[in-house]
Amino acid sequence: MVISGRDRKKSKIKNVIFLTLTIMLSLVVVTSVYAYFEYKQGVKEAMELTDKLDIPNEEVEFKGVEDSIGNVNILLLGVDARGSESSRSDTIMIFQYEPETGTSKIVSIMRDTYVEIPGYNKQKINAAHALGGAELVRETIKENFDIDVQYYATIDFSGFSHLIDTTFPDGIQVEVENEMSKNIGLTLYPGAQKLNGKELLGYVRFRHDSQNDFGRVERQQEVMSQIADEVTSIKGITKIPNMIGTIQPFINTNIDNQTIMSVGTEFVSDDTNIENLRIPIDGSFTSKTYDGVGEVLDPDLKENREVLQKFLNQNPA
């Protein structure tokens, strides 16, 4: 049988297509296997450390609400002693990632913000975690600012320190403005430098200067941006599975591994400039003192609610 030139050309094209698909499929399989083993290795390394630290992994009921336009909204909580009923949240943030635009945003809610805590009357917002955990913090944010979040991630200070050392062994670069020492268990001196986990924890917790809690919130947002830069510039996409495995044992969260992997990979692929907002905003609150509560920031809730909803692209009906 004589094979025409046209048939030979068709056969060649089919072979090229078959070879291309085979290569693509092989890459997917290899990448998946690599990601799995990198993730498991990260978990193994972190679990060895968390077992020594005796960091608990408690069950948390969290009735998060999915964003109506597809954004990923995560409630980030830093607490004094995870697992303790009396642990107030020292840090309250909302992290938002917009998959369509690659935009990342962080909202810091001042811990002394005076709000209505459902079932407990008006108190500082940081009391919500002590009274009802991450779920009550979510309900409090919804009650006062009409903002829904779908996910939460809680980390205690010991976990934060070791997480930084494990994930970023060379430290995180920051600019220390002034000497810092009061109530942080160490002394930090002015200047640009890389801080290890314990030092970085002291840096983000320090509030005994002229800016008190406001300076502390600015430093927290600065560190979040620096961590994002470290992830994208040093670790890269190939390190994401290992990093996720490393981080996971240190936090309590309801984010499933598939979502973490997907968002993490997209986040690293995009420009990591992070937009920041602090609540209450300047000029929208008064400093007051209430019996049994102490000094608080009493906000104009209507103004702050509108600003926060606009910033996070949430416009409840």
Side-chain angles (χ1 to χ4, degrees):
M1 186 174 96
V2 179
I3 301 176
S4 68
R6 179 178 295 179
D7 289 337
R8 289 195 187 94
K9 187 175 182 180
K10 286 183 179 179
S11 178
K12 186 176 182 180
I13 291 174
K14 287 181 180 179
N15 289 335
V16 170
I17 292 174
F18 177 77
L19 179 61
T20 301
L21 290 175
T22 301
I23 292 173
M24 289 177 65
L25 181 59
S26 299
L27 285 173
V28 169
V29 172
V30 170
T31 301
S32 299
V33 171
Y34 170 79
Y36 174 77
F37 281 106
E38 281 289 295
Y39 168 76
K40 297 298 288 185
Q41 181 63 28
V43 170
K44 179 182 177 182
E45 293 170 358
M47 286 300 295
E48 291 174 355
L49 181 56
T50 54
D51 286 343
K52 296 177 183 178
L53 296 173
D54 193 28
I55 294 178
N57 186 17
E58 71 230 49
E59 293 293 328
V60 176
E61 180 184 21
F62 194 79
K63 301 176 182 178
V65 179
E66 186 175 355
D67 188 87
S68 61
I69 57 176
N71 294 332
V72 178
N73 297 311
I74 307 171
L75 176 62
L76 304 177
L77 300 171
V79 299
D80 287 322
R82 191 156 54 102
S84 169
E85 292 182 359
S86 61
S87 58
R88 292 189 172 217
S89 46
D90 189 75
T91 299
I92 304 172
M93 292 181 171
I94 299 173
F95 172 80
Q96 181 183 83
Y97 179 71
E98 299 180 10
E100 286 193 6
T101 63
T103 302
S104 299
K105 299 177 180 179
I106 289 179
V107 178
S108 293
I109 302 178
M110 302 285 287
R111 64 181 186 175
D112 290 341
T113 305
Y114 194 54
V115 295
E116 184 75 27
I117 298 180
Y120 296 93
N121 300 318
K122 299 197 75 170
Q123 299 193 41
K124 295 180 183 180
I125 194 169
N126 72 333
H129 186 270
L131 295 168
E135 171 59 16
L136 187 56
V137 180
R138 184 197 69 79
E139 293 175 9
T140 300
I141 291 173
K142 175 63 177 177
E143 172 76 17
N144 293 273
F145 303 106
D146 209 4
I147 292 293
D148 285 317
V149 292
Q150 183 176 7
Y151 302 110
Y152 81 94
T154 302
I155 183 170
D156 75 339
F157 294 140
S158 175
F160 173 84
S161 178
H162 288 284
L163 185 153
I164 294 298
D165 287 338
T166 304
T167 312
F168 307 102
D170 294 328
I172 296 294
Q173 181 80 21
V174 300
E175 178 76 38
V176 180
E177 319 93 80
N178 304 295
E179 182 174 317
M180 302 176 181
S181 61
K182 188 174 181 180
N183 292 347
I184 61 173
L186 49 83
T187 300
L188 299 175
Y189 297 97
Q193 54 202 284
K194 283 199 169 185
L195 303 182
N196 63 29
K198 184 178 180 180
E199 293 166 340
L200 194 66
L201 177 61
Y203 180 72
V204 298
R205 294 199 70 193
F206 182 76
R207 62 190 187 100
H208 295 280
D209 58 11
S210 59
Q211 292 186 302
N212 51 70
D213 245 11
F214 293 93
R216 187 179 65 89
V217 166
E218 287 182 6
R219 284 188 288 275
Q220 290 175 355
Q221 293 184 338
E222 172 203 352
V223 165
M224 291 290 287
S225 295
Q226 286 297 104
I227 289 175
D229 289 342
E230 289 286 334
V231 169
T232 55
S233 64
I234 297 177
K235 297 296 179 179
I237 293 176
T238 60
K239 294 295 183 181
I240 286 293
N242 184 273
M243 290 179 65
I244 291 172
T246 299
I247 291 170
Q248 196 173 50
F250 291 107
I251 63 175
N252 272 340
T253 183
N254 66 332
I255 312 175
D256 60 89
N257 290 337
Q258 183 177 354
T259 299
I260 294 176
M261 193 76 72
S262 174
V263 173
T265 302
E266 290 181 11
F267 178 79
V268 169
S269 302
D270 293 322
D271 184 352
T272 58
N273 289 331
I274 297 177
E275 299 177 34
N276 294 300
L277 176 69
R278 188 203 70 223
I279 295 294
I281 61 173
D282 289 337
S284 70
F285 64 90
T286 54
S287 298
K288 295 182 179 179
T289 301
Y290 293 106
D291 291 340
V293 180
E295 295 183 6
V296 304
L297 304 177
D298 199 351
D300 180 330
L301 280 177
K302 182 176 183 297
E303 181 178 359
N304 281 280
R305 185 186 302 117
E306 291 174 352
V307 169
L308 182 53
Q309 288 176 357
K310 183 177 180 180
F311 183 74
L312 295 179
N313 296 321
Q314 290 196 12
N315 297 293

